[in-house]
mmCIF file of all heavy atoms in Angstrom:
data_model
loop_
_atom_site.group_PDB
_atom_site.id
_atom_site.type_symbol
_atom_site.label_atom_id
_atom_site.label_comp_id
_atom_site.label_asym_id
_atom_site.label_seq_id
_atom_site.Cartn_x
_atom_site.Cartn_y
_atom_site.Cartn_z
ATOM 1 N N SER D 1 15.691 97.595 -68.741
ATOM 2 C CA SER D 1 15.720 96.811 -67.505
ATOM 3 C C SER D 1 14.599 97.261 -66.701
ATOM 4 O O SER D 1 13.809 96.294 -66.060
ATOM 5 C CB SER D 1 16.975 97.033 -66.698
ATOM 6 O OG SER D 1 18.114 96.618 -67.494
ATOM 7 N N SER D 2 14.148 98.391 -66.543
ATOM 8 C CA SER D 2 13.036 98.768 -65.704
ATOM 9 C C SER D 2 11.711 98.370 -66.282
ATOM 10 O O SER D 2 10.774 97.959 -65.617
ATOM 11 C CB SER D 2 13.012 100.257 -65.456
ATOM 12 O OG SER D 2 12.811 100.978 -66.738
ATOM 13 N N SER D 3 11.664 98.223 -67.697
ATOM 14 C CA SER D 3 10.376 97.733 -68.349
ATOM 15 C C SER D 3 10.305 96.207 -68.213
ATOM 16 O O SER D 3 9.136 95.793 -68.360
ATOM 17 C CB SER D 3 10.467 98.174 -69.868
ATOM 18 O OG SER D 3 11.460 97.362 -70.497
ATOM 19 N N LEU D 4 11.329 95.572 -67.863
ATOM 20 C CA LEU D 4 11.183 94.180 -67.588
ATOM 21 C C LEU D 4 10.811 93.761 -66.250
ATOM 22 O O LEU D 4 10.666 92.623 -65.825
ATOM 23 C CB LEU D 4 12.463 93.409 -67.923
ATOM 24 C CG LEU D 4 12.995 93.487 -69.336
ATOM 25 C CD1 LEU D 4 14.357 92.883 -69.551
ATOM 26 C CD2 LEU D 4 11.990 92.653 -70.179
ATOM 27 N N ALA D 5 10.700 94.778 -65.245
ATOM 28 C CA ALA D 5 10.321 94.508 -63.861
ATOM 29 C C ALA D 5 8.985 93.738 -63.912
ATOM 30 O O ALA D 5 8.093 94.054 -64.535
ATOM 31 C CB ALA D 5 10.198 95.889 -63.083
ATOM 32 N N ILE D 6 8.819 92.725 -62.964
ATOM 33 C CA ILE D 6 7.651 92.019 -62.901
ATOM 34 C C ILE D 6 6.789 92.442 -61.748
ATOM 35 O O ILE D 6 7.329 92.883 -60.767
ATOM 36 C CB ILE D 6 8.089 90.427 -62.656
ATOM 37 C CG1 ILE D 6 6.844 89.483 -62.848
ATOM 38 C CG2 ILE D 6 8.810 90.312 -61.376
ATOM 39 C CD1 ILE D 6 7.261 88.017 -62.875
ATOM 40 N N ASP D 7 5.531 92.267 -62.057
ATOM 41 C CA ASP D 7 4.638 92.926 -60.927
ATOM 42 C C ASP D 7 4.740 91.932 -59.640
ATOM 43 O O ASP D 7 5.058 90.785 -59.674
ATOM 44 C CB ASP D 7 3.186 92.705 -61.399
ATOM 45 C CG ASP D 7 2.851 93.723 -62.574
ATOM 46 O OD1 ASP D 7 3.573 94.752 -62.558
ATOM 47 O OD2 ASP D 7 1.950 93.421 -63.311
ATOM 48 N N ALA D 8 4.405 92.537 -58.557
ATOM 49 C CA ALA D 8 4.349 91.875 -57.291
ATOM 50 C C ALA D 8 3.055 91.100 -57.209
ATOM 51 O O ALA D 8 2.029 91.541 -57.637
ATOM 52 C CB ALA D 8 4.570 92.788 -56.222
ATOM 53 N N PRO D 9 2.946 89.938 -56.509
ATOM 54 C CA PRO D 9 1.765 89.177 -56.267
ATOM 55 C C PRO D 9 0.807 89.905 -55.272
ATOM 56 O O PRO D 9 1.358 90.775 -54.472
ATOM 57 C CB PRO D 9 2.270 87.787 -55.721
ATOM 58 C CG PRO D 9 3.519 88.161 -55.180
ATOM 59 C CD PRO D 9 4.141 89.308 -55.855
ATOM 60 N N THR D 10 -0.340 89.550 -55.166
ATOM 61 C CA THR D 10 -1.345 90.028 -54.331
ATOM 62 C C THR D 10 -1.484 88.778 -53.250
ATOM 63 O O THR D 10 -1.959 87.797 -53.642
ATOM 64 C CB THR D 10 -2.681 90.411 -54.851
ATOM 65 O OG1 THR D 10 -2.438 91.484 -55.730
ATOM 66 C CG2 THR D 10 -3.710 90.749 -53.782
ATOM 67 N N LEU D 11 -1.235 89.017 -51.913
ATOM 68 C CA LEU D 11 -1.357 88.013 -51.019
ATOM 69 C C LEU D 11 -2.806 87.776 -50.736
ATOM 70 O O LEU D 11 -3.619 88.640 -50.668
ATOM 71 C CB LEU D 11 -0.642 88.358 -49.714
ATOM 72 C CG LEU D 11 0.882 88.580 -49.915
ATOM 73 C CD1 LEU D 11 1.560 88.784 -48.534
ATOM 74 C CD2 LEU D 11 1.478 87.624 -50.786
ATOM 75 N N TRP D 12 -3.145 86.460 -50.581
ATOM 76 C CA TRP D 12 -4.652 86.055 -50.268
ATOM 77 C C TRP D 12 -4.827 85.459 -48.869
ATOM 78 O O TRP D 12 -5.570 86.061 -48.039
ATOM 79 C CB TRP D 12 -4.994 85.042 -51.333
ATOM 80 C CG TRP D 12 -5.315 85.666 -52.651
ATOM 81 C CD1 TRP D 12 -5.396 86.967 -53.057
ATOM 82 C CD2 TRP D 12 -5.427 84.880 -53.958
ATOM 83 N NE1 TRP D 12 -5.652 87.035 -54.301
ATOM 84 C CE2 TRP D 12 -5.717 85.880 -54.931
ATOM 85 C CE3 TRP D 12 -5.491 83.585 -54.287
ATOM 86 C CZ2 TRP D 12 -5.869 85.624 -56.352
ATOM 87 C CZ3 TRP D 12 -5.710 83.249 -55.570
ATOM 88 C CH2 TRP D 12 -5.885 84.190 -56.611
ATOM 89 N N SER D 13 -4.140 84.380 -48.608
ATOM 90 C CA SER D 13 -4.474 83.816 -47.267
ATOM 91 C C SER D 13 -3.202 83.088 -46.875
ATOM 92 O O SER D 13 -2.357 82.684 -47.457
ATOM 93 C CB SER D 13 -5.461 82.579 -47.510
ATOM 94 O OG SER D 13 -5.011 81.544 -48.357
ATOM 95 N N PRO D 14 -3.094 83.038 -45.406
ATOM 96 C CA PRO D 14 -4.059 83.695 -44.338
ATOM 97 C C PRO D 14 -4.068 85.101 -44.559
ATOM 98 O O PRO D 14 -3.088 85.777 -44.953
ATOM 99 C CB PRO D 14 -3.389 83.161 -43.021
ATOM 100 C CG PRO D 14 -2.469 82.091 -43.404
ATOM 101 C CD PRO D 14 -1.835 82.379 -44.759
ATOM 102 N N ALA D 15 -5.309 85.729 -44.417
ATOM 103 C CA ALA D 15 -5.484 87.047 -44.476
ATOM 104 C C ALA D 15 -4.579 87.882 -43.450
ATOM 105 O O ALA D 15 -4.223 87.414 -42.493
ATOM 106 C CB ALA D 15 -6.904 87.518 -44.262
ATOM 107 N N ASN D 16 -4.206 89.054 -43.899
ATOM 108 C CA ASN D 16 -3.433 89.828 -43.029
ATOM 109 C C ASN D 16 -3.996 90.029 -41.558
ATOM 110 O O ASN D 16 -5.095 90.377 -41.481
ATOM 111 C CB ASN D 16 -3.167 91.327 -43.640
ATOM 112 C CG ASN D 16 -1.893 92.053 -43.010
ATOM 113 O OD1 ASN D 16 -1.071 91.466 -42.457
ATOM 114 N ND2 ASN D 16 -1.949 93.206 -42.967
ATOM 115 N N ASN D 17 -3.155 89.735 -40.606
ATOM 116 C CA ASN D 17 -3.514 89.881 -39.202
ATOM 117 C C ASN D 17 -4.642 88.931 -38.753
ATOM 118 O O ASN D 17 -5.180 89.012 -37.657
ATOM 119 C CB ASN D 17 -3.968 91.432 -38.848
ATOM 120 C CG ASN D 17 -2.803 92.314 -38.813
ATOM 121 O OD1 ASN D 17 -1.599 92.008 -38.436
ATOM 122 N ND2 ASN D 17 -3.046 93.458 -39.400
ATOM 123 N N SER D 18 -4.862 87.840 -39.695
ATOM 124 C CA SER D 18 -5.885 86.896 -39.269
ATOM 125 C C SER D 18 -5.242 85.851 -38.250
ATOM 126 O O SER D 18 -3.967 85.719 -38.078
ATOM 127 C CB SER D 18 -6.257 86.092 -40.466
ATOM 128 O OG SER D 18 -5.218 85.279 -41.087
ATOM 129 N N ALA D 19 -6.126 85.214 -37.493
ATOM 130 C CA ALA D 19 -5.592 84.335 -36.453
ATOM 131 C C ALA D 19 -6.028 82.883 -36.640
ATOM 132 O O ALA D 19 -7.091 82.611 -37.329
ATOM 133 C CB ALA D 19 -6.104 84.852 -34.947
ATOM 134 N N GLY D 20 -5.234 81.919 -36.284
ATOM 135 C CA GLY D 20 -5.624 80.466 -36.500
ATOM 136 C C GLY D 20 -4.823 79.608 -35.613
ATOM 137 O O GLY D 20 -3.712 80.035 -35.086
ATOM 138 N N ILE D 21 -5.225 78.327 -35.556
ATOM 139 C CA ILE D 21 -4.387 77.366 -34.750
ATOM 140 C C ILE D 21 -3.591 76.346 -35.869
ATOM 141 O O ILE D 21 -2.897 75.541 -35.281
ATOM 142 C CB ILE D 21 -5.264 76.495 -33.913
ATOM 143 C CG1 ILE D 21 -6.414 75.665 -34.597
ATOM 144 C CG2 ILE D 21 -6.044 77.460 -32.831
ATOM 145 C CD1 ILE D 21 -7.017 74.613 -33.841
ATOM 146 N N VAL D 22 -3.968 76.407 -37.077
ATOM 147 C CA VAL D 22 -3.240 75.520 -37.974
ATOM 148 C C VAL D 22 -1.832 75.846 -38.209
ATOM 149 O O VAL D 22 -1.630 76.978 -38.677
ATOM 150 C CB VAL D 22 -4.087 75.464 -39.311
ATOM 151 C CG1 VAL D 22 -3.326 74.536 -40.344
ATOM 152 C CG2 VAL D 22 -5.470 75.060 -39.091
ATOM 153 N N GLN D 23 -0.924 75.019 -37.764
ATOM 154 C CA GLN D 23 0.451 75.129 -37.789
ATOM 155 C C GLN D 23 1.103 74.861 -39.090
ATOM 156 O O GLN D 23 2.246 75.218 -39.367
ATOM 157 C CB GLN D 23 1.063 74.429 -36.682
ATOM 158 C CG GLN D 23 0.738 74.952 -35.417
ATOM 159 C CD GLN D 23 1.320 73.917 -34.298
ATOM 160 O OE1 GLN D 23 0.584 72.999 -33.685
ATOM 161 N NE2 GLN D 23 2.462 74.298 -33.731
ATOM 162 N N THR D 24 0.342 74.395 -40.089
ATOM 163 C CA THR D 24 0.814 74.224 -41.448
ATOM 164 C C THR D 24 -0.238 74.724 -42.413
ATOM 165 O O THR D 24 -0.807 73.934 -43.204
ATOM 166 C CB THR D 24 1.091 72.632 -41.736
ATOM 167 O OG1 THR D 24 -0.098 71.930 -41.361
ATOM 168 C CG2 THR D 24 2.188 72.124 -41.005
ATOM 169 N N PRO D 25 -0.510 76.041 -42.347
ATOM 170 C CA PRO D 25 -1.415 76.623 -43.299
ATOM 171 C C PRO D 25 -1.003 76.644 -44.676
ATOM 172 O O PRO D 25 0.131 76.552 -45.000
ATOM 173 C CB PRO D 25 -1.689 77.950 -42.685
ATOM 174 C CG PRO D 25 -0.428 78.384 -42.061
ATOM 175 C CD PRO D 25 0.220 77.034 -41.591
#
């Protein structure tokens, strides 16, 4: 079961702690 564990994704955008006005990014 542990060998079947799937990798976690790497988050891309919006970048962590980035700011923006687009409400549907």
Side-chain angles (χ1 to χ4, degrees):
S1 296
S2 64
S3 69
L4 291 175
I6 189 169
D7 291 337
T10 299
L11 303 189
W12 285 348
S13 65
N16 195 26
N17 290 320
S18 62
I21 66 168
V22 176
Q23 294 173 267
T24 51

